[in-house]
Amino acid sequence: MAEKSNSVIVDIIIPAYNAHKTIEKAIASIVTQTLSDVLKVTIVNDGSNADYHRLVERYRNIINIEEITLEKNVGCGMARQAGLEHTYAPYIMFVDADDFFYSPYSVAILLDRMEKNNDLNVMYGAIHSVFLDDGQIQTISPEHFTWLFGSMYRRSLIDKYHITFADSSRGEDVSFNKLFKLLSDGDQNIGYTDEVIYCWTDQNKDARINNEDFIVEGSKEGFVENILYVYDFIKNITIPHKPEELKIDVISNIVSMYFQYLDLCEERPQAAPKLFRYIQKYYDNVYRNYETMIALDDLKDLYNINVRRWYSTKPMPIDGISIYEFINMLQSGNGQNKS
């Protein structure tokens, strides 16, 4: 039996909604970590039909573990936020209730990098994506700091800027990680290792999302919602970035939204006008403020970079508006007529 340490170095937060069939695998992968004696597991019961008390009791003498209970289902983002507010360790990780760590060294690999480099605010690694339908496993080495899973966060940056999750039904990874990146001193504070850290099961994780239309449409709307949340969050903060770097982020966002819009025009054309209205908010409230600084070459360069990433595994739509036409649509506000 492992002896628990009074010194918790890493908080691991697990949002759980009716996850009784899968969560034990997640916990087992934490228990077997080489650093299990300095970890604390917090299960955030997101309004489940039953509690996780028996599971907590089963592992209480092996690892530092507790359950906190929310009165109603609020979704992964707000459940993670509740976990943040309830924990105190200097480092934080998030594990979904149907995922698990790749090896017993997953936490140790990230923590070692973080403790050797005090300038790092985040350290993340490669992931295995496990496709449940056919059992295939795909290793993903993210070029961009995108997902919560497989990442370790330094709490001091959260405390300094009071970083919080957006109350969004989808894509809360986007806003949380973008805030970390914008509020850090550039990419040098974001570390990456190509060692596999985490196994992500490719299935529907949010109980509030129960149909394909919402998965397709909601993910795209959620992306825009979370970007809007980021720029509303930072508008009153002096961030350690040059205007040029913020400008690049603003353009990258509009390019990503352009691709989201093109995809939706093909997949769910009836939903494209609604997405356009979300993007219009971003254009009016964020992009327009930087437009005089943006040259066509800036837009073209970031388009070329992102098109390869966006359509690396699928064909780009043959019939569609150009990125320049898309910007013109936003300027005139008449996108609904062209979707």
Side-chain angles (χ1 to χ4, degrees):
M1 181 180 298
E3 183 177 349
K4 292 190 296 184
S5 168
N6 291 326
S7 177
V8 177
I9 296 177
V10 182
D11 276 313
I12 299 180
I13 297 168
I14 308 177
Y17 178 79
N18 293 341
H20 300 77
K21 293 182 179 180
T22 61
I23 193 171
E24 190 157 8
K25 181 186 288 187
I27 294 173
S29 76
I30 299 170
V31 169
T32 56
Q33 293 298 302
T34 57
L35 297 179
S36 63
D37 59 331
V38 296
L39 308 180
K40 180 181 178 182
V41 179
T42 300
I43 301 171
V44 183
N45 183 342
D46 187 17
S48 299
N49 293 333
D51 62 33
Y52 300 91
H53 177 72
R54 289 185 181 180
L55 190 64
V56 170
E57 288 300 312
R58 185 180 306 157
Y59 287 97
R60 188 180 296 280
N61 293 325
I62 304 173
I63 196 168
N64 192 339
I65 185 171
E66 69 171 334
E67 174 190 8
I68 63 173
T69 303
L70 307 182
E71 293 183 358
K72 62 180 181 178
N73 177 230
V74 295
C76 289
M78 289 295 93
R80 292 188 182 105
Q81 182 62 36
L84 274 181
E85 293 170 1
H86 191 81
T87 55
Y88 306 95
Y91 302 101
I92 304 157
M93 298 188 73
F94 300 98
V95 173
D96 284 357
D98 53 358
D99 296 343
F100 49 94
F101 284 121
Y102 175 72
S103 82
Y105 303 98
S106 292
V107 176
I109 289 168
L110 299 184
L111 184 61
D112 180 66
R113 307 296 202 283
M114 293 284 278
E115 295 207 312
K116 285 181 177 176
N117 187 347
N118 290 328
D119 291 332
L120 285 178
N121 288 320
V122 182
M123 185 73 201
Y124 70 105
I127 63 171
H128 272 350
S129 180
V130 182
F131 298 90
L132 298 184
D133 292 340
D134 54 16
Q136 292 185 17
I137 298 176
Q138 176 185 3
T139 302
I140 303 175
S141 299
E143 291 182 34
H144 302 274
F145 175 47
T146 305
W147 297 297
L148 292 169
F149 43 73
S151 303
M152 181 176 288
Y153 300 85
R154 196 180 296 274
R155 189 184 292 271
S156 57
L157 191 75
I158 295 175
D159 293 342
K160 179 178 180 179
Y161 292 105
H162 307 290
I163 296 173
T164 57
F165 282 94
D167 186 5
S168 173
S169 59
R170 194 76 171 165
E172 65 279 354
D173 303 53
V174 171
S175 56
F176 193 80
N177 284 343
K178 188 172 283 291
L179 283 171
F180 252 81
K181 188 168 184 178
L182 290 176
L183 296 172
S184 295
D185 188 15
D187 289 340
Q188 65 266 30
N189 295 130
I190 310 292
Y192 171 71
T193 173
D194 59 6
E195 294 185 73
V196 179
I197 299 297
Y198 191 91
C199 291
W200 174 67
T201 54
D202 186 18
Q203 65 179 19
N204 178 17
K205 294 175 178 293
D206 192 324
R208 296 183 296 174
I209 302 171
N210 55 14
N211 64 77
E212 185 179 358
D213 286 352
F214 192 88
I215 292 171
V216 174
E217 298 166 21
S219 63
K220 301 180 190 315
E221 293 165 8
F223 175 83
V224 182
E225 284 178 347
N226 277 274
I227 298 298
L228 284 168
Y229 176 81
V230 167
Y231 276 86
D232 184 62
F233 189 96
I234 67 171
K235 66 184 179 183
N236 296 318
I237 298 175
T238 301
I239 64 173
H241 263 65
K242 298 177 182 178
E244 182 70 16
E245 295 177 64
L246 262 181
K247 182 189 74 173
I248 290 171
D249 186 71
V250 167
I251 304 172
S252 296
N253 294 333
I254 205 74
V255 171
S256 293
M257 291 173 193
Y258 162 72
F259 292 137
Q260 299 268 16
Y261 181 74
L262 281 189
D263 285 350
L264 200 58
C265 283
E266 286 218 333
E267 298 168 1
R268 296 284 189 279
Q270 69 278 10
K274 183 180 178 183
L275 177 62
F276 186 87
R277 289 193 292 272
Y278 276 91
I279 300 172
Q280 186 77 61
K281 290 180 183 178
Y282 173 78
Y283 176 84
D284 291 340
N285 292 287
V286 180
Y287 192 88
R288 192 185 295 275
N289 296 329
Y290 291 83
E291 203 159 28
T292 57
M293 300 168 55
I294 295 173
L296 288 181
D297 285 345
D298 295 327
L299 190 62
K300 181 180 178 181
D301 289 345
L302 285 167
Y303 169 86
N304 289 333
I305 291 170
N306 281 275
V307 72
R308 291 190 293 271
R309 176 171 63 93
W310 202 269
Y311 293 105
S312 61
T313 59
K314 59 182 178 180
M316 186 173 178
I318 297 174
D319 297 324
I321 58 173
S322 72
I323 183 67
Y324 308 108
E325 291 173 315
F326 183 67
I327 298 295
N328 288 334
M329 288 161 55
L330 290 166
Q331 288 173 337
S332 61
N334 67 350
Q336 291 92 329
N337 298 324
K338 298 198 175 187
S339 59

